[in-house]
Structures are given as C-alpha cells and as structure tokens.
Amino acid sequence: MQVLKMSLKKLECTVDIAEDGKQALEAVKKSIENHRPYQLILMDLRMPNMDGFEATRVLKEEMNCSVPIVALTAETGLDVRERCKEAGFHEFLQKPVKAAVLKNILYQFGAALNTWYDR
C-alpha cells in the first residue's frame, strides 16, 4: 500500500489512510464536518473489523455519501467485479495498480488533487 500512497503523492494528491472500514467511515465523516469532503475514495475490499463492501454500504445507505468509491483488490475474476458493481462501487482497480491506470481514475472522477485512500 505504501507504493500506492507514493504514487498518489507523486500525482500531487492529498492522501489520508484508514486501517480498517470503521476508521474509513470516521475519516469520511470528519472530512464532511470540516467542510473538506473527499473527492474520491479508494476502498480496499479486505480490511479488518469492517471490509470494504460493508463500509461502502454504510457510506451510501446510512451516510448518504455521494463521493465516488473505487474498489481496490488483489482478487481477479468477474464475480468480484460483479459484486463490486452490485455494492455500489463506481469503479474497480486490481492491485498492484499501475501509475497510468491510477492517473486515469483520478481524472475520470475529477479528483486530481484531493484523494482519499483507504488502508
């Protein structure tokens, strides 16, 4: 994950890190309260305490979060992609994430400067 963090910083992104889904929810809540909401959330699917699927469900259904959420996973397969789509993720990235792919995602969602990355 440090490689991804360094890649984001090279792209001049502001990066916040959460160790698990519960911390991710708190970070999003705090960003909204501070009037500096995230422009994009990169959500790891496999985290302790609360996985990315559950954290995304809470963000969307309970917190009414409209920030684009991109799934991060080392898993392959169409079943994972389909599950991400059903869970409400806006996009899917397979780890390790190549710099060019990351840059395209940032620009796709208009988040070239302020990005939040989970885990």
Side-chain angles (χ1 to χ4, degrees):
M1 291 302 170
Q2 290 300 326
V3 173
L4 184 57
K5 180 180 175 182
M6 288 179 358
S7 295
L8 287 165
K9 289 197 175 249
K10 282 182 184 177
L11 294 169
E12 299 182 11
C13 295
T14 300
V15 180
D16 289 339
I17 297 174
E19 295 296 323
D20 62 38
K22 289 181 180 184
Q23 286 182 8
L25 296 176
E26 285 301 314
V28 172
K29 183 179 176 185
K30 188 175 181 179
S31 76
I32 293 167
E33 290 171 352
N34 291 336
H35 305 288
R36 293 187 50 86
Y38 297 118
Q39 294 176 341
L40 180 66
I41 298 170
L42 301 179
M43 182 74 74
D44 198 323
L45 298 182
R46 302 282 178 221
M47 296 181 289
N49 300 319
M50 179 186 291
D51 68 19
F53 289 107
E54 180 62 14
T56 297
R57 185 197 66 74
V58 172
L59 285 170
K60 295 205 168 268
E61 295 176 10
E62 296 178 23
M63 295 175 63
N64 296 316
C65 181
S66 61
V67 176
I69 304 172
V70 176
L72 286 174
T73 185
E75 297 178 44
T76 57
L78 295 175
D79 58 323
V80 176
R81 287 180 181 266
E82 189 60 36
R83 190 169 171 214
C84 288
K85 186 177 179 181
E86 290 171 3
F89 287 95
H90 293 83
E91 191 59 75
F92 175 94
L93 288 177
Q94 188 174 349
K95 297 185 283 186
V97 180
K98 294 182 176 162
V101 173
L102 182 60
K103 187 174 183 178
N104 286 337
I105 288 291
L106 294 175
Y107 286 109
Q108 175 183 343
F109 292 105
L113 297 177
N114 291 320
T115 301
W116 177 75
Y117 147 68
D118 188 352
R119 184 142 183 204

